Amino acid sequence: MSSSAEGRYNARAVEGKWQQAWTEAQVFAASEDRSKPKYYVLEMFPYPSGRIHMGHVRNYTMGDVVARYKKARGFNVLHPMGWDAFGLPAENAARDKGVHPANWTYQNIADMRADLKSMGLSLDWERELATCHPGYYAHQQKLFLDFLEKDLVYRKESDVNWDPVDHTVLANEQVIDGRGWRSGAVVERRKLAQWFFKITAFSEDLLAALGELERWPERVRLMQTNWIGRSEGLKLKWAVPKGPAGQKEIEVYTTRPDTLFGASFLAVAADHPFAQAVAEKDPKAASFIAECRRGGTSIVDIETAEKQGYDTGFRASHPFGAGRGVPVYIANFVLMDYGTGAIFGCPAGDTRDFEFATKYGLPIPWVVCAPGESAASMASRTEAYTEKAGSIINSEWLDGLEIPAAIAKAIDKAEAMGIGQRTVNYRLRDWGASRQRYWGCPIPVIHCDSCGVVPVPAKDLPVLLPDDVTFDKPGNPLDHHPTWKHVACPACGKQARRETDTLDTFVDSSWYFARFCSPRDGEPMDRAAVDYWLPVDQYIGGIEHAILHLLYSRFYMRGLKETGHVGVKEPFAGLFTQGMVCHETYQNPAGAWLTPEEISRAEDGTLTETATGAPVTVGRVEKMSKSKKNVVDPGSIIDTYGADTARWFMLSDSPPERDMEWTTAGVEGAWRFAQRLWRMLNEALPTLDAAGPANEAGASLRRATHKTIAAVTEDIEQFHFNKGVARIYEFANALNEHKAADGAAKREAFETLVKLVGPMMPHLAEEMWAALGHETLLALAPWPVADADLARDDLVTIAVQVGGKLRATLSLARDAAKELVEAAALADDNVRRAIDGRAVRKVVVVPNRVVNVVV
RNA sequence: GCGGGCGUGGCGGAACUGGUAGACGCACACGACUUAAAAUCGUGAGGCCAAAAGCCGUGAGGGUUCGAGUCCCUCCGCCCGCACCA
């Protein structure tokens, strides 16, 4: 039973019907049709957790609006879907439930695919891919080897957080108070050979090109700018004449060489070679270094750690020959992997150095004079002067210069002396991509004692994950596998070992958008296909990926370009970051969190726990999360109200970039509107084809129709979906008020309404389209075009102010002469009362808008 | 600490380049229909005032302007990102 004019709109029956119709007609299958402009819409692909959540619904609804709209506008649209399918949860499920990661993952994909299909998205499912499928990761291995050949990936020793119980490397976020988040064991810092992508090779370009990403949110560009962290400065060598063997000089990096004469100490990182050399003969230094290392790498640890230094007893000579030189400290706050791992401390110009100097009784030479201060007044300060304005003092040949000039002169001098070098430094570090896990893409190399690292030959690709693995002991199952890692060296034939690390799952998501262009090709990508489709025109996803995923993808595209796979370097021409879906939180008297379904709402609005009758405390509106239990399952919403209702509510009210609150009342409102549209159409249907001349009401309705087309089109273009929804509500109200309009005007209005609603509630719109008598799919129909002449009002409402305060409004012909408008305004009763006999000094007339009478 | 964003009715939010603040929706109230309820339809609504007139009103205070939610200055509050970056 489908819907009928008498009955309600039966969303469940109707939605399945149209989904099937779209599939059968292959409406959303994309091909490289060069007769049309292309448009590639992509939402961040999901991790297959098993069920979609409201965040997905919001994300994919927005993408679908854009995809359907662009298609109607005549674009050749690519809108694919896939699965970010590798990752730790599958291994956890394997360990906890005994199900193989592959089975667990593919079952989840099947479940989630069904959920997504129930949303009625305009996806080309023929292009579906899963990163855990050999048909995907085989190509990723090929790309890895291409990158290896171009030195875009390399292996080096690096410090990691090592969990000695679980035998695994932990990310910083997984270390809590210095202990492993799962095992609780004290985490060790270990040096381990790891694979790194050379993202720093593109630091400058990744930064500079941000300026051209005009359709990216400013916020994201800024976050990436800060992450890359470019600075300009000087690398400068300080001699340590009596230093330990092989450590007769220390190179520091500074952005403030103008303050060099204010130096009162040098400090090196605990891992700095100088510190290591000192420690060899100085047990106290060694224990200080060990102490530094013990401190965790987590943010909290770093923040709370007290700034400490160890005086090595060595002195460095000032490069410009000033004074007696300065002491060299080992300090816990100096980072080995930023700059040179060594700094000079200028207490007068840096808060942290000031504290350090005070703590250890070091001199504080004042070398910058703030504007309006004197050398004497500066010397009496009790804190560092960190502003970058002022002139240099107490600095020999830099005295009197402004800071920028002093910086330039100091650098020139250091370069001329051959002890320094102008340097651009970046905060960005290479991307450590090794993971000691099973459920990831195997790194296709072999370690041979004679030949070193040997790439797996092309004929032996892909390196498949073995199926027969166990998860009963801690550590990497690939490493435990009895036979998998033992292979002959491809170069010399001797016994060798496979690499047992797998790739970070961020690698999988760094090129999937390119694979979508030719998802079944025998090569990673078909050059003609990527040249046609890339870059993605509109990418949509959460702000949480502002840095890592988006930056890695930008790096990967550059790597793909260098290895000849693509021709462009930016993956995403347009980016939109949507807000989160939130919900009220509920707690019972015992403080336990309750789900929205466990709550009953009484007539007077008070809430109780359904099972016990206990009162419920309503907490803050927060992001839907399992821990707070404030989640609503999209499946049950779609079952009850239909996908269109869920989609419509997602688009209503809240601006898409902002967080939204999911409420029952809101969903019901959306559902009522869907019903109302269906009812309105069926009431009007018999009158739409009535013969008769165009009438006044019809002209008025047509104005509303064409205004609405213009407004909704603009709103969708601008991603102002909530405003577009409001315009559609207004238009529905207008239709209601123009029942007397002639049939042709009403038919035009209804057909327009259906087309505008189409991207948002595609099933209902398709059903209405059919009811209007169309035998072709709305999904294939073109977007309506606004006629500016028809949209124009003949009468305009003009506000009349006296002294800036609104006193009256006038309804006058559009573009009436100024004198006429002014006269009409002054003749108005309310206006005359407000003027109250005072002299009119001036009358400001803004055409078609406002008259302001100045008294 | 550095950087960014945001403060508008009971709520979510509109308001083009400075020109009728509160569109639209939710919630609410009243009315119609109904035996009744639901659904639906209609009406109302920023605050003060019995109402009209009027006055007040976009976090607070000041300024520019004929006119400020919008521009400028000072302050307050909330949110987010980065954070020993030399």
Side-chain angles (χ1 to χ4, degrees):
Chain A
M1 181 62 198
S2 185
S3 304
S4 67
E6 302 77 38
R8 280 189 173 180
Y9 173 71
N10 183 345
R12 198 190 299 220
V14 167
E15 292 186 351
K17 179 178 76 182
W18 292 113
Q19 285 161 17
Q20 200 182 335
W22 295 325
T23 304
E24 281 168 8
Q26 297 189 19
V27 174
F28 307 120
S31 63
E32 289 148 45
D33 176 354
R34 284 162 205 279
S35 68
K36 294 178 183 174
K38 68 94 184 179
Y39 199 89
Y40 186 176
V41 191
L42 187 66
E43 302 95 307
M44 290 179 183
F45 69 163
Y47 179 79
S49 56
R51 300 305 304 263
I52 60 169
H53 55 67
M54 284 301 180
H56 293 126
V57 175
R58 195 172 190 207
N59 190 188
Y60 299 133
T61 298
M62 290 179 195
D64 203 45
V65 169
V66 173
R68 286 176 181 270
Y69 164 75
K70 287 290 179 182
K71 183 177 175 64
R73 286 297 299 266
F75 287 88
N76 186 34
V77 171
L78 173 59
H79 187 206
M81 180 55 70
W83 310 98
D84 189 12
F86 272 138
L88 197 55
E91 287 186 59
N92 292 340
R95 185 198 54 209
D96 298 342
K97 296 175 198 159
V99 53
H100 193 278
N103 296 339
W104 184 84
T105 303
Y106 285 117
Q107 184 57 51
N108 281 349
I109 287 175
D111 293 343
M112 247 169 117
R113 185 193 299 118
D115 282 355
L116 283 185
K117 287 197 169 179
S118 73
M119 281 184 66
L121 304 170
S122 64
L123 293 166
D124 180 358
W125 282 103
E126 294 301 310
R127 290 175 187 254
E128 180 180 359
L129 59 80
T131 57
C132 67
H133 194 281
Y136 184 83
Y137 73 72
H139 298 293
Q140 189 161 308
Q141 292 176 344
K142 172 77 165 55
L143 295 178
F144 182 92
L145 295 178
D146 288 351
F147 276 35
L148 186 61
E149 201 170 307
K150 291 271 183 190
D151 289 326
L152 291 171
V153 61
Y154 65 96
R155 209 165 121 91
K156 76 162 184 195
E157 293 262 315
S158 152
D159 273 332
V160 294
N161 299 307
W162 180 258
D163 184 322
V165 171
D166 277 355
H167 295 276
T168 186
V169 169
L170 299 176
N172 284 344
E173 307 83 76
Q174 294 171 328
V175 180
I176 298 154
D177 294 334
R179 291 170 182 273
W181 65 302
R182 188 182 297 278
S183 69
V186 175
V187 167
E188 300 168 5
R189 270 170 73 174
R190 269 204 191 181
K191 277 210 184 293
L192 216 63
Q194 306 239 79
W195 288 95
F196 286 84
F197 282 105
K198 209 178 205 168
I199 191 168
T200 56
F202 298 103
S203 299
E204 186 60 45
D205 190 43
L206 286 167
L207 179 68
L210 282 172
E212 286 142 46
L213 294 174
E214 283 159 17
R215 291 172 47 231
W216 278 41
E218 190 54 45
R219 185 156 71 120
V220 174
R221 290 196 274 175
L222 202 76
M223 282 162 76
Q224 292 207 354
T225 301
N226 292 338
W227 188 262
I228 294 168
R230 183 184 195 275
S231 68
E232 289 177 9
L234 172 69
K235 270 188 188 170
L236 179 67
K237 287 178 181 137
W238 292 61
V240 189
K242 296 181 180 153
Q247 298 295 327
K248 301 299 185 191
E249 62 182 30
I250 294 172
E251 190 175 45
V252 305
Y253 173 71
T254 177
T255 57
R256 292 295 302 276
D258 57 311
T259 63
L260 266 164
F261 288 96
S264 69
F265 63 94
L266 245 53
V268 301
D271 292 321
H272 193 280
F274 187 91
Q276 303 288 316
V278 171
E280 276 174 32
K281 298 207 174 120
D282 181 346
K284 280 192 194 159
S287 71
F288 179 78
I289 289 169
E291 182 68 27
C292 290
R293 288 214 178 127
R294 196 164 316 128
T297 54
S298 79
I299 291 161
V300 186
D301 289 341
I302 290 168
E303 252 180 48
T304 51
E306 196 187 345
K307 282 152 196 51
Q308 289 185 330
Y310 175 81
D311 186 349
T312 63
F314 294 101
R315 294 187 78 83
S317 321
H318 196 284
F320 296 148
R324 298 172 297 107
V326 298
V328 179
Y329 281 77
I330 302 168
N332 64 348
F333 57 84
V334 179
L335 306 171
M336 189 57 219
D337 42 11
Y338 185 80
T340 59
I343 62 162
F344 82 83
C346 173
D350 183 283
T351 309
R352 186 196 54 213
D353 293 348
F354 191 94
E355 283 169 21
F356 193 86
T358 307
K359 180 169 179 174
Y360 293 105
L362 298 165
I364 302 174
W366 292 89
V367 288
V368 177
C369 185
E373 300 276 335
S374 67
S377 67
M378 289 304 290
S380 63
R381 285 178 69 100
T382 53
E383 57 181 18
Y385 174 71
T386 58
E387 305 295 318
K388 292 199 176 70
S391 56
I392 306 300
I393 51 173
N394 301 326
S395 298
E396 304 183 8
W397 40 271
L398 288 176
D399 280 353
L401 293 174
E402 291 295 307
I403 290 172
I407 289 174
K409 188 166 182 183
I411 293 176
D412 289 345
K413 176 94 170 186
E415 287 194 326
M417 292 169 68
I419 53 169
Q421 200 181 348
R422 187 182 305 268
T423 307
V424 175
N425 191 56
Y426 299 91
R427 201 190 78 112
L428 183 68
R429 295 173 210 158
D430 280 337
W431 169 17
S434 282
R435 298 292 181 268
Q436 291 70 38
R437 288 176 188 163
Y438 166 72
W439 197 232
C441 174
I443 295 173
V445 301
I446 289 162
H447 299 282
C448 171
D449 290 336
S450 312
C451 310
V453 172
V454 183
V456 174
K459 66 176 172 59
D460 296 336
L461 289 179
V463 176
L464 294 174
L465 286 169
D467 286 332
D468 51 336
V469 282
T470 54
F471 298 90
D472 47 4
K473 48 181 171 173
N476 182 353
L478 284 179
D479 207 25
H480 302 151
H481 193 281
T483 57
W484 186 79
K485 68 180 171 185
H486 303 296
V487 287
C489 171
C492 69
K494 276 192 256 176
Q495 192 54 234
R497 302 170 314 282
R498 278 194 195 285
E499 171 66 67
T500 55
D501 283 356
T502 53
L503 288 173
D504 182 1
T505 56
F506 274 117
V507 179
D508 310 340
S509 54
S510 290
W511 69 286
Y512 77 109
F513 44 87
R515 182 67 185 165
F516 273 136
C517 300
S518 56
R520 308 290 176 252
D521 200 84
E523 291 297 311
M525 53 205 79
D526 171 54
R527 187 61 199 262
V530 291
D531 282 351
Y532 177 77
W533 288 114
L534 292 179
V536 173
D537 295 279
Q538 185 62 60
Y539 197 38
I540 307 172
I543 185 74
E544 66 273 20
H545 292 113
I547 295 174
L548 296 185
H549 164 56
L550 292 169
L551 195 58
Y552 291 155
S553 296
R554 296 182 65 219
F555 157 72
Y556 233 78
M557 276 294 277
R558 282 162 172 76
L560 291 173
K561 189 160 183 275
E562 291 222 344
T563 51
H565 291 282
V566 301
V568 293
K569 66 181 185 183
E570 284 297 337
F572 313 118
L575 173 70
F576 188 87
T577 52
Q578 98 267 7
M580 297 181 298
V581 181
C582 302
H583 197 284
E584 277 183 333
T585 48
Y586 307 107
Q587 280 175 290
N588 68 13
W593 298 105
L594 301 170
T595 66
E597 289 95 68
E598 291 173 304
I599 310 290
S600 297
R601 193 176 293 265
E603 282 285 306
D604 61 353
T606 57
L607 300 181
T608 52
E609 185 175 357
T610 311
T612 62
V616 166
T617 317
V618 178
R620 288 172 37 143
V621 174
E622 293 187 66
K623 180 192 179 181
M624 285 190 180
S625 74
K626 280 182 189 164
S627 60
K628 297 271 169 70
K629 290 196 173 180
N630 59 338
V631 289
V632 174
D633 170 37
S636 70
I637 294 292
I638 291 173
D639 282 348
T640 311
Y641 299 100
D644 284 340
T645 293
R647 293 169 58 123
W648 184 257
F649 179 47
M650 278 299 178
L651 299 167
S652 313
D653 296 346
S654 297
E657 69 279 5
R658 226 180 280 183
D659 289 353
M660 68 166 290
E661 188 190 350
W662 183 273
T663 61
T664 308
V667 187
E668 284 173 353
W671 183 76
R672 277 199 303 269
F673 184 64
Q675 295 291 339
R676 184 179 158 210
L677 286 181
W678 180 244
R679 207 168 43 238
M680 274 172 60
L681 175 70
N682 283 291
E683 275 173 25
L685 220 39
T687 69
L688 297 188
D689 297 315
N695 58 22
E696 189 54 36
S700 171
L701 180 58
R702 295 196 77 188
R703 267 197 297 280
T705 301
H706 288 270
K707 276 184 189 172
T708 305
I709 295 171
V712 173
T713 303
E714 182 64 15
D715 288 336
I716 293 179
E717 288 282 353
Q718 305 279 321
F719 264 77
H720 294 157
F721 304 127
N722 57 319
K723 287 163 68 179
V725 164
R727 296 286 89 83
I728 291 171
Y729 272 116
E730 280 180 340
F731 187 41
N733 293 343
L735 258 164
N736 221 21
E737 288 154 16
H738 288 84
K739 288 188 175 149
D742 57 273
K746 278 161 82 171
R747 173 162 278 278
E748 179 192 45
F750 270 102
E751 300 218 334
T752 298
L753 175 68
V754 168
K755 285 180 173 182
L756 297 179
V757 165
M760 303 177 180
M761 294 197 281
H763 312 88
L764 170 64
E766 202 73 72
E767 186 76 359
M768 290 172 75
W769 188 245
L772 280 162
H774 295 279
E775 287 172 4
T776 53
L777 291 167
L778 173 67
L780 296 167
W783 193 249
V785 178
D787 183 329
D789 291 334
L790 286 170
R792 192 169 299 125
D793 283 309
D794 300 330
L795 289 176
V796 290
T797 306
I798 295 175
V800 185
Q801 302 173 338
V802 177
K805 289 193 176 183
L806 181 72
R807 297 298 176 187
T809 57
L810 304 172
S811 189
L812 292 174
R814 159 176 290 275
D815 299 330
K818 276 198 175 189
E819 300 73 37
L820 212 79
V821 176
E822 186 176 329
L826 292 171
D828 185 273
D829 281 349
N830 273 335
V831 174
R832 289 169 65 177
R833 190 180 318 131
I835 293 171
D836 194 25
R838 288 172 293 180
V840 174
R841 292 196 294 155
K842 186 161 114 183
V843 180
V844 180
V845 180
V846 180
N848 298 324
R849 286 201 176 273
V850 76
V851 176
N852 191 8
V853 180
V854 187
V855 290

